[in-house]
Amino acid sequence: LSRCVKIVLLGGYIKMTLSARNEFVGKVIEINEGAVNDVVKVQLPKGQVITSTITKEAVAELGLAVGCDAVAVIKATSVMISTNPQGLSARNKLNGKVVAINEGAVNSVVKVELEGGEVISSTITCEAVKELGLTIDKDVTAIVKATEVMVMA
């Protein structure tokens, strides 16, 4: 899959780049159907799974089915960082190590290399970086609610 979104325009397609910092290519391994929303699980190449809750209509429009290629898209501002992720309801708890901290005046971008080698970016406050004691190589968990994960196919 390319890093683009297909937009139907008069029967053709145009390519559009996304501003979301996190795009993970994988395969749909499970779809749990609900009355309004479905839960879609996308497995990354090294085995980690990203869970998304999207509408049944979106699942149908995207033609999602078990075994198809998909891209999980997550805005950096939707990624929380934890050093102790116990007892959370969020479906996506992705373990890794901090590989970069780019500090700004108010917010920082923290990059975490996941166990499979993928890198996820998180935008959090500089205050949170200090409170969590984040440093390069620190073990952390990137946390994302399933409702914050978009899917492209």
Side-chain angles (χ1 to χ4, degrees):
L1 293 171
S2 65
R3 290 184 43 133
C4 63
V5 177
K6 292 184 221 176
I7 299 178
V8 178
L9 182 64
L10 300 174
Y13 292 98
I14 59 173
K15 293 182 180 181
M16 182 172 61
T17 303
L18 295 174
S19 64
R21 299 294 84 200
N22 301 299
E23 299 176 33
F24 300 102
V25 176
K27 288 209 177 285
V28 175
I29 59 166
E30 186 177 329
I31 299 175
N32 293 318
E33 295 183 23
V36 176
N37 293 323
D38 292 350
V39 175
V40 178
K41 294 187 178 186
V42 177
Q43 186 173 39
L44 306 185
K46 301 285 179 150
Q48 284 194 307
V49 175
I50 296 179
T51 301
S52 175
T53 299
I54 58 177
T55 65
K56 294 181 77 54
E57 183 179 9
V59 170
E61 287 175 0
L62 292 168
L64 292 178
V66 172
C68 75
D69 292 329
V71 179
V73 179
I74 307 165
K75 292 176 57 177
T77 53
S78 295
V79 180
M80 295 175 277
I81 300 294
S82 178
T83 55
N84 182 16
Q86 305 305 321
L88 296 174
S89 65
R91 298 297 81 202
N92 298 294
K93 299 172 192 160
L94 306 165
N95 297 320
K97 288 188 180 293
V98 174
V99 293
I101 302 171
N102 300 319
E103 288 194 40
V106 176
N107 291 325
S108 296
V109 175
V110 178
K111 294 189 179 191
V112 176
E113 184 175 321
L114 304 178
E115 292 173 344
E118 299 90 352
V119 175
I120 190 166
S121 293
S122 172
T123 301
I124 60 175
T125 64
C126 295
E127 185 178 7
V129 170
K130 290 182 179 107
E131 284 178 7
L132 292 169
L134 298 183
T135 57
I136 302 301
D137 289 329
K138 184 168 184 90
D139 290 326
V140 296
T141 302
I143 300 165
V144 183
K145 291 181 62 167
T147 52
E148 295 297 315
V149 179
M150 295 169 279
V151 177
M152 297 188 319

PDB file of all heavy atoms in Angstrom, residues 32-39 53-57:
ATOM      1  N   ASN A  32     -15.048  -7.877  14.350  1.00  0.00           N
ATOM      2  CA  ASN A  32     -16.156  -8.202  15.252  1.00  0.00           C
ATOM      3  C   ASN A  32     -17.290  -7.226  14.956  1.00  0.00           C
ATOM      4  O   ASN A  32     -17.148  -6.025  15.162  1.00  0.00           O
ATOM      5  CB  ASN A  32     -15.731  -8.091  16.714  1.00  0.00           C
ATOM      6  CG  ASN A  32     -14.709  -9.136  17.078  1.00  0.00           C
ATOM      7  OD1 ASN A  32     -14.825 -10.280  16.688  1.00  0.00           O
ATOM      8  ND2 ASN A  32     -13.685  -8.736  17.810  1.00  0.00           N
ATOM      9  N   GLU A  33     -18.401  -7.774  14.476  1.00  0.00           N
ATOM     10  CA  GLU A  33     -19.511  -6.933  14.055  1.00  0.00           C
ATOM     11  C   GLU A  33     -20.402  -6.534  15.226  1.00  0.00           C
ATOM     12  O   GLU A  33     -20.744  -7.354  16.065  1.00  0.00           O
ATOM     13  CB  GLU A  33     -20.340  -7.654  12.998  1.00  0.00           C
ATOM     14  CG  GLU A  33     -19.565  -7.895  11.713  1.00  0.00           C
ATOM     15  CD  GLU A  33     -20.401  -8.536  10.633  1.00  0.00           C
ATOM     16  OE1 GLU A  33     -21.637  -8.412  10.677  1.00  0.00           O
ATOM     17  OE2 GLU A  33     -19.806  -9.153   9.737  1.00  0.00           O
ATOM     18  N   GLY A  34     -20.755  -5.260  15.240  1.00  0.00           N
ATOM     19  CA  GLY A  34     -21.695  -4.743  16.223  1.00  0.00           C
ATOM     20  C   GLY A  34     -22.925  -4.213  15.519  1.00  0.00           C
ATOM     21  O   GLY A  34     -23.048  -4.309  14.294  1.00  0.00           O
ATOM     22  N   ALA A  35     -23.832  -3.633  16.278  1.00  0.00           N
ATOM     23  CA  ALA A  35     -25.061  -3.101  15.694  1.00  0.00           C
ATOM     24  C   ALA A  35     -24.791  -1.860  14.836  1.00  0.00           C
ATOM     25  O   ALA A  35     -25.369  -1.703  13.768  1.00  0.00           O
ATOM     26  CB  ALA A  35     -26.058  -2.757  16.797  1.00  0.00           C
ATOM     27  N   VAL A  36     -23.889  -0.987  15.285  1.00  0.00           N
ATOM     28  CA  VAL A  36     -23.576   0.254  14.578  1.00  0.00           C
ATOM     29  C   VAL A  36     -22.104   0.303  14.183  1.00  0.00           C
ATOM     30  O   VAL A  36     -21.756   0.707  13.076  1.00  0.00           O
ATOM     31  CB  VAL A  36     -23.922   1.484  15.452  1.00  0.00           C
ATOM     32  CG1 VAL A  36     -23.516   2.775  14.762  1.00  0.00           C
ATOM     33  CG2 VAL A  36     -25.408   1.492  15.783  1.00  0.00           C
ATOM     34  N   ASN A  37     -21.240  -0.100  15.103  1.00  0.00           N
ATOM     35  CA  ASN A  37     -19.797  -0.077  14.876  1.00  0.00           C
ATOM     36  C   ASN A  37     -19.240  -1.489  14.843  1.00  0.00           C
ATOM     37  O   ASN A  37     -19.784  -2.407  15.465  1.00  0.00           O
ATOM     38  CB  ASN A  37     -19.088   0.701  15.993  1.00  0.00           C
ATOM     39  CG  ASN A  37     -19.428   2.166  15.974  1.00  0.00           C
ATOM     40  OD1 ASN A  37     -19.569   2.760  14.921  1.00  0.00           O
ATOM     41  ND2 ASN A  37     -19.562   2.753  17.145  1.00  0.00           N
ATOM     42  N   ASP A  38     -18.127  -1.650  14.131  1.00  0.00           N
ATOM     43  CA  ASP A  38     -17.390  -2.902  14.111  1.00  0.00           C
ATOM     44  C   ASP A  38     -16.015  -2.668  14.722  1.00  0.00           C
ATOM     45  O   ASP A  38     -15.474  -1.561  14.654  1.00  0.00           O
ATOM     46  CB  ASP A  38     -17.215  -3.421  12.677  1.00  0.00           C
ATOM     47  CG  ASP A  38     -18.523  -3.875  12.039  1.00  0.00           C
ATOM     48  OD1 ASP A  38     -19.544  -3.982  12.754  1.00  0.00           O
ATOM     49  OD2 ASP A  38     -18.516  -4.128  10.820  1.00  0.00           O
ATOM     50  N   VAL A  39     -15.452  -3.707  15.303  1.00  0.00           N
ATOM     51  CA  VAL A  39     -14.091  -3.662  15.815  1.00  0.00           C
ATOM     52  C   VAL A  39     -13.216  -4.396  14.811  1.00  0.00           C
ATOM     53  O   VAL A  39     -13.450  -5.579  14.516  1.00  0.00           O
ATOM     54  CB  VAL A  39     -13.994  -4.299  17.213  1.00  0.00           C
ATOM     55  CG1 VAL A  39     -12.543  -4.341  17.676  1.00  0.00           C
ATOM     56  CG2 VAL A  39     -14.858  -3.531  18.212  1.00  0.00           C
ATOM     57  N   THR A  53     -12.129   0.883  16.205  1.00  0.00           N
ATOM     58  CA  THR A  53     -13.581   0.833  16.204  1.00  0.00           C
ATOM     59  C   THR A  53     -14.065   1.831  15.168  1.00  0.00           C
ATOM     60  O   THR A  53     -13.834   3.041  15.312  1.00  0.00           O
ATOM     61  CB  THR A  53     -14.151   1.195  17.592  1.00  0.00           C
ATOM     62  OG1 THR A  53     -13.674   0.249  18.542  1.00  0.00           O
ATOM     63  CG2 THR A  53     -15.675   1.158  17.589  1.00  0.00           C
ATOM     64  N   ILE A  54     -14.708   1.322  14.103  1.00  0.00           N
ATOM     65  CA  ILE A  54     -15.224   2.178  13.040  1.00  0.00           C
ATOM     66  C   ILE A  54     -16.648   1.743  12.698  1.00  0.00           C
ATOM     67  O   ILE A  54     -17.084   0.662  13.079  1.00  0.00           O
ATOM     68  CB  ILE A  54     -14.325   2.166  11.783  1.00  0.00           C
ATOM     69  CG1 ILE A  54     -14.169   0.747  11.223  1.00  0.00           C
ATOM     70  CG2 ILE A  54     -12.971   2.771  12.091  1.00  0.00           C
ATOM     71  CD1 ILE A  54     -13.358   0.680   9.933  1.00  0.00           C
ATOM     72  N   THR A  55     -17.358   2.578  11.979  1.00  0.00           N
ATOM     73  CA  THR A  55     -18.745   2.261  11.666  1.00  0.00           C
ATOM     74  C   THR A  55     -18.852   1.067  10.721  1.00  0.00           C
ATOM     75  O   THR A  55     -17.936   0.798   9.935  1.00  0.00           O
ATOM     76  CB  THR A  55     -19.460   3.457  11.010  1.00  0.00           C
ATOM     77  OG1 THR A  55     -18.848   3.728   9.753  1.00  0.00           O
ATOM     78  CG2 THR A  55     -19.439   4.676  11.913  1.00  0.00           C
ATOM     79  N   LYS A  56     -19.981   0.379  10.813  1.00  0.00           N
ATOM     80  CA  LYS A  56     -20.260  -0.725   9.888  1.00  0.00           C
ATOM     81  C   LYS A  56     -20.231  -0.209   8.455  1.00  0.00           C
ATOM     82  O   LYS A  56     -19.769  -0.893   7.546  1.00  0.00           O
ATOM     83  CB  LYS A  56     -21.620  -1.351  10.189  1.00  0.00           C
ATOM     84  CG  LYS A  56     -21.714  -2.055  11.512  1.00  0.00           C
ATOM     85  CD  LYS A  56     -23.080  -2.665  11.737  1.00  0.00           C
ATOM     86  CE  LYS A  56     -23.277  -3.943  10.966  1.00  0.00           C
ATOM     87  NZ  LYS A  56     -22.280  -4.985  11.144  1.00  0.00           N
ATOM     88  N   GLU A  57     -20.765   1.007   8.272  1.00  0.00           N
ATOM     89  CA  GLU A  57     -20.789   1.620   6.944  1.00  0.00           C
ATOM     90  C   GLU A  57     -19.373   1.781   6.395  1.00  0.00           C
ATOM     91  O   GLU A  57     -19.108   1.492   5.218  1.00  0.00           O
ATOM     92  CB  GLU A  57     -21.488   2.976   7.035  1.00  0.00           C
ATOM     93  CG  GLU A  57     -21.636   3.687   5.726  1.00  0.00           C
ATOM     94  CD  GLU A  57     -22.353   5.027   5.872  1.00  0.00           C
ATOM     95  OE1 GLU A  57     -22.587   5.490   7.010  1.00  0.00           O
ATOM     96  OE2 GLU A  57     -22.675   5.606   4.830  1.00  0.00           O
TER      97      GLU A  57
END
